[in-house]
C-alpha cells in the first residue's frame, strides 16, 4: 500500500512537471535595459538597442557604412527565448503583432526586406551571412530546453510599442497557443551626435 | 496480484525513462540519420580539412561565431572536452575574419584550430538551428545528433553520452526529430 502511495505521489509530481501549468507573467519594468519574463514555461528576454550599439556591433564586423546606417535607422529589438515546456513551441515572428501606442500596427522588417536591401547596396555575402545569424529565425520548432535568440527589426516607431508574441504548441501545432504581451517598449534615439555629423 | 504487476510495470517504465535521460543528455536531439553535407574548408594557415576523409570515427562538427554569447560560453567547455576525450572535433567559424577568430580562439581554446567558413555558405548548407550548433557525425558519415544551442561539453552528462557514443552504444533514437 505504501509503495502504491509513493508511486502515486511520484506520478503526480511527474505530471505536474510536464504539464507546464500556466503561470502569471513575472515581468520586470518595461523601461529596464533588458526585460525578462517567464510565462507558461517560456523564458523570454527582450532588449531594445540604441543606435550606438547597432553601429558598434556591425561596424566592428566590417559592415559597410551604408549598411550600418540602414541598420541604425531601424529599431532593433533583441529577443531571447528558452522553451521549458515538454512540448514543441513554435516560434514564428510573422504571426506576432507590433502595436504602437496610438493603435497602429507596425511593420516588421523581415529577412525578405533585408535581403532586397543588401542586394541593392551590394553587401558582401559574409556580411549577409553574419546579419542573418543575428536575426530571430522566421520559424523554429523549439524543443524542450532549446534556446533561441536574435534580433527583431522594425521601422522606428517614434513612440512606445507593444509586442504581442503568439506561439502555437505541439509538433502538429494543434495543442493550443500561448500569447505573451510585452508592453511599453521604446526604441532609444541616438544619444549623442557623432563628431562632424550635421545637426539635422 | 494484478496491482503488484502494475507497480512492477510502472517501476520498469520509470527506470527505463531515467536510463534514456542518462543516455541522451538535456539539449541533445537525435536526428534521423542522413548523410552529412559536404564540408571542406581551410583554417587560418591554409590547412584544409575534408570531413569525408574522417570516415571511420565519430566527429563533432561545431559551428560558431565570436559575437555570439552562447558560443563564447560554450567554447572553453568544448576545448576541455576535446582535451579529455580526444573526440575528433571540427570547429567551423561562420563568416568572420582571421583577426576576430585569432583574438577569440587564443583565449577561449588555445589548443584548438578552427576552419574558416569565410562567406558563411558551408554553414548555410548544414542548416543549423542557430549559432552555436554542434552536430555529431557517425563513422559512416551520417548526421546522428544535434546539440540545441550552447551546451556544457565538460559536464558529466555530456561526457558520459560521448563515451557511450564512441563505444558504439549510441543512445536510442526514440527522442528524435519528431517529438510530440
Amino acid at each position: 500500500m505504501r509503495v502504491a502511495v509513493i508511486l502515486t505521489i511520484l506520478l503526480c509530481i511527474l505530471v505536474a512537471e510536464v504539464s507546464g501549468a500556466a503561470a502569471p507573467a513575472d515581468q520586470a519594468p518595461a523601461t529596464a535595459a533588458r526585460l525578462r519574463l517567464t510565462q507558461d514555461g517560456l523564458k523570454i528576454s527582450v532588449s531594445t538597442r540604441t543606435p550606438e550599439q547597432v553601429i558598434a556591433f556591425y561596424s566592428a564586423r566590417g559592415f559597410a557604412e551604408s549598411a550600418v546606417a540602414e541598420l541604425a535607422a531601424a529599431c532593433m529589438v533583441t529577443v531571447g527565448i528558452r522553451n521549458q515546456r515538454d512540448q514543441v513551441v513554435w516560434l514564428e515572428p510573422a504571426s506576432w503583432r507590433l502595436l504602437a501606442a496610438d493603435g497602429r500596427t507596425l511593420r516588421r522588417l523581415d529577412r525578405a526586406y533585408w535581403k532586397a536591401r543588401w542586394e541593392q547596396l551590394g553587401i558582401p555575402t559574409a556580411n549577409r551571412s553574419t546579419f542573418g545569424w543575428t536575426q530571430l529565425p522566421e520559424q523554429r520548432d523549439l524543443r524542450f530546453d532549446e534556446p533561441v535568440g536574435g534580433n527583431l527589426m522594425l521601422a522606428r516607431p517614434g513612440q512606445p510599442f507593444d509586442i504581442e508574441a503568439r506561439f502555437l504548441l505541439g509538433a502538429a501545432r494543434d495543442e493550443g497557443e500561448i500569447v505573451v504581451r510585452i508592453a511599453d517598449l521604446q526604441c532609444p534615439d541616438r544619444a549623442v551626435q557623432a563628431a562632424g555629423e550635421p545637426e539635422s | 496480484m494484478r496491482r503488484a504487476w502494475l507497480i512492477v510495470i510502472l517501476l520498469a517504465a520509470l527506470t527505463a525513462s531515467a536510463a534514456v535521460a542518462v543516455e541522451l543528455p538535456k539539449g541533445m536531439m537525435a536526428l534521423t540519420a542522413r548523410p552529412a553535407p559536404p564540408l571542406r574548408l581551410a583554417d587560418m594557415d591554409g590547412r584544409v580539412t575534408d570531413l569525408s576523409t574522417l570516415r571511420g570515427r565519430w566527429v563533432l562538427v561545431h559551428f560558431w561565431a565570436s559575437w555570439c554569447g552562447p558560443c563564447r560560453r560554450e567554447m572553453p567547455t568544448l576545448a576541455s572536452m576535446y582535451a579529455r576525450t580526444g573526440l575528433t572535433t571540427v570547429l567551423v567559424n561562420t563568416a568572420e575574419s582571421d583577426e576576430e577568430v585569432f583574438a577569440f580562439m587564443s583565449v577561449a581554446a588555445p589548443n584548438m584550430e578552427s576552419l574558416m567558413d569565410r562567406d558563411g555558405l558551408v554553414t548555410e548548407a548544414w542548416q543549423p538551428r542557430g549559432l552555436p550548433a554542434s552536430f555529431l557525425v557517425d563513422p559512416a558519415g551520417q548526421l546522428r545528433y544535434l546539440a540545441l544551442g550552447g551546451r556544457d561539453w565538460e559536464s558529466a552528462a555530456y561526457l558520459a553520452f560521448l563515451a557511450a557514443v564512441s563505444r558504439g552504444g549510441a543512445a536510442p533514437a526514440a527522442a528524435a526529430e519528431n517529438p510530440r
Side-chain angles (χ1 to χ4, degrees):
Chain A
M1 184 63 186
R2 277 178 65 186
V3 174
V5 170
I6 290 168
L7 271 174
T8 305
I9 292 168
L10 268 173
L11 284 173
C12 287
I13 291 168
L14 280 173
V15 170
E17 281 187 353
V18 299
S19 66
D26 173 20
Q27 197 161 319
T31 50
R34 177 180 287 190
L35 183 153
R36 295 175 195 273
L37 62 99
T38 301
Q39 183 182 320
D40 298 338
L42 294 183
K43 289 181 79 170
I44 300 176
S45 68
V46 177
S47 319
T48 50
R49 298 298 182 187
T50 65
E52 287 83 357
Q53 287 175 316
V54 175
I55 291 166
F57 181 87
Y58 289 103
S59 297
R61 267 134 210 109
F63 280 59
E65 267 184 45
S66 56
V68 173
E70 192 97 1
L71 291 165
C75 174
M76 182 182 286
V77 185
T78 303
V79 179
I81 300 166
R82 184 179 285 270
N83 175 21
Q84 298 194 306
R85 298 175 68 90
D86 186 29
Q87 71 187 138
V88 171
V89 172
W90 288 88
L91 166 72
E92 291 166 309
S95 70
W96 295 11
R97 293 206 301 162
L98 307 169
L99 300 162
D102 65 6
R104 277 187 305 128
T105 298
L106 302 169
R107 181 185 169 211
R108 187 171 68 91
L109 305 178
D110 61 12
R111 284 171 186 263
Y113 168 88
W114 291 108
K115 184 170 183 279
R117 289 302 296 140
W118 299 152
E119 275 165 19
Q120 285 165 358
L121 294 170
I123 301 303
T125 311
N127 289 157
R128 294 188 204 194
S129 175
T130 296
F131 176 77
W133 291 113
T134 62
Q135 299 302 291
L136 211 53
E138 288 295 322
Q139 188 179 68
R140 177 65 44 80
D141 52 337
L142 294 170
R143 315 305 171 95
F144 172 66
D145 199 46
E146 181 171 6
V148 66
N151 297 315
L152 196 70
M153 311 288 289
L154 59 149
R156 195 167 277 277
Q159 59 182 308
F161 65 99
D162 295 358
I163 297 175
E164 187 183 87
R166 312 183 82 85
F167 302 90
L168 291 174
L169 304 176
R173 306 155 185 265
D174 58 357
E175 296 174 22
E177 183 184 41
I178 294 171
V179 180
V180 178
R181 184 106 175 192
I182 301 140
D184 202 23
L185 296 166
Q186 310 226 19
C187 228
D189 290 323
R190 201 163 177 174
V192 186
Q193 285 182 315
E197 199 172 50
E199 284 290 323
S200 57
Chain B
M1 186 62 183
R2 274 180 67 187
R3 190 187 296 172
W5 272 112
L6 271 174
I7 290 169
V8 169
I9 290 166
L10 272 170
L11 279 173
L14 284 170
T15 308
S17 65
V20 168
V22 167
E23 288 183 24
L24 202 61
K26 193 164 127 177
M28 182 66 76
M29 183 168 84
L31 301 173
T32 305
R34 57 179 179 273
L39 195 163
R40 187 177 189 280
L41 291 167
D43 66 14
M44 280 184 282
D45 297 325
R47 287 186 296 259
V48 173
T49 296
D50 187 335
L51 182 64
S52 67
T53 66
L54 301 176
R55 294 277 167 85
R57 64 181 102 164
W58 282 88
V59 181
L60 180 73
V61 178
H62 176 75
F63 294 92
W64 68 281
S66 68
W67 51 261
C68 142
C71 304
R72 289 198 299 270
R73 289 189 291 276
E74 182 180 36
M75 187 63 81
T77 77
L78 270 171
S80 170
M81 178 279 291
Y82 173 66
R84 291 169 71 167
T85 67
L87 174 70
T88 302
T89 303
V90 174
L91 306 180
V92 180
N93 175 268
T94 301
E96 289 192 290
S97 67
D98 286 5
E99 290 76 17
E100 287 163 324
V101 171
F102 180 78
F104 176 76
M105 290 296 286
S106 61
V107 176
N111 60 333
M112 301 181 85
E113 300 288 344
S114 181
L115 302 180
M116 304 291 287
D117 182 17
R118 295 187 185 279
D119 53 14
L121 294 179
V122 170
T123 308
E124 297 280 350
W126 277 65
Q127 297 185 318
R129 292 167 69 89
L131 294 180
S134 303
F135 293 89
L136 268 166
V137 181
D138 73 13
Q142 303 273 308
L143 296 179
R144 296 297 300 275
Y145 300 99
L146 170 63
L148 303 170
R151 296 290 157 185
D152 181 357
W153 291 90
E154 56 185 344
S155 67
Y158 269 72
L159 289 172
F161 171 73
L162 294 174
V165 163
S166 58
R167 279 197 307 268
E177 286 174 274
N178 300 307
R180 71 181 192 86

